[in-house]
Amino acid sequence: MTDVEQWDPRSISLGDNHRAILSNAWRERTGMKLPLTQEDLETMRVALMAKAGDWKQFAEPADDNTIINWIKVLVLCEEQYSGFDCGAKSPVIPLVGVLRQRGTYSREITSWIKENSSNRFLPYGSLLDRL
């Protein structure tokens, strides 16, 4: 046994500060341009390392419209800011999963994501991950 503890970089605690950043970014956007500060960006870049299950748990108490807005913010972040490209590990995928579990995910959301994202894994993730 060793005295050195293992640090899991993907054990990120998502909380109210992340909810506020995502919600405020969508509410205060100008067109498709997000008003994120450098501090907001750094906070969200760390949050991107959270596990898919953590993102699902984070979204569970939120209403559908809030989750849809968070999805849009994360899609736009990936396109507008460096350090947000997540590929098949994008938090958009588990957020979409929450809406699909609820039966409230629509084709319009898929269309919006496809129109605004260059991430080929969105909105459903890698086919290998779904098998």
Side-chain angles (χ1 to χ4, degrees):
M1 200 131 165
T2 177
D3 291 334
V4 179
E5 291 190 34
Q6 286 186 327
W7 177 68
D8 180 2
R10 292 185 47 89
S11 64
I12 306 298
S13 180
L14 299 169
D16 290 339
N17 59 332
H18 299 100
R19 285 182 183 87
I21 291 169
L22 291 168
S23 296
N24 291 339
W26 185 253
R27 187 173 42 255
E28 297 173 11
R29 76 193 183 287
T30 305
M32 292 298 197
K33 183 70 178 149
L34 301 173
L36 296 170
T37 66
Q38 194 60 37
E39 184 179 338
D40 292 341
L41 293 171
E42 289 172 18
T43 299
M44 292 312 299
R45 282 186 189 109
V46 172
L48 294 177
M49 293 186 282
K51 297 175 185 174
D54 295 335
W55 278 100
K56 284 183 179 181
Q57 185 177 12
F58 170 78
E60 277 301 322
D63 63 60
D64 294 343
N65 286 332
T66 298
I67 295 171
I68 291 167
N69 293 343
W70 292 349
I71 288 169
K72 290 178 178 182
V73 168
L74 291 164
V75 166
L76 293 175
C77 281
E78 192 167 358
E79 297 302 312
Q80 295 177 14
Y81 300 105
S82 66
F84 278 85
D85 47 333
C86 298
K89 301 295 183 196
S90 173
V92 169
I93 298 163
L95 295 181
V96 164
V98 169
L99 294 176
R100 291 182 74 196
Q101 275 185 319
R102 293 178 181 179
T104 56
Y105 186 77
S106 69
R107 290 183 183 162
E108 289 79 20
I109 302 167
T110 298
S111 295
W112 188 94
I113 292 170
K114 296 284 187 186
E115 289 171 13
N116 291 282
S117 177
S118 60
N119 183 340
R120 65 187 176 111
F121 295 104
L122 297 183
Y124 304 114
S126 168
L127 179 59
L128 292 176
D129 291 342
R130 292 187 279 153
L131 295 176

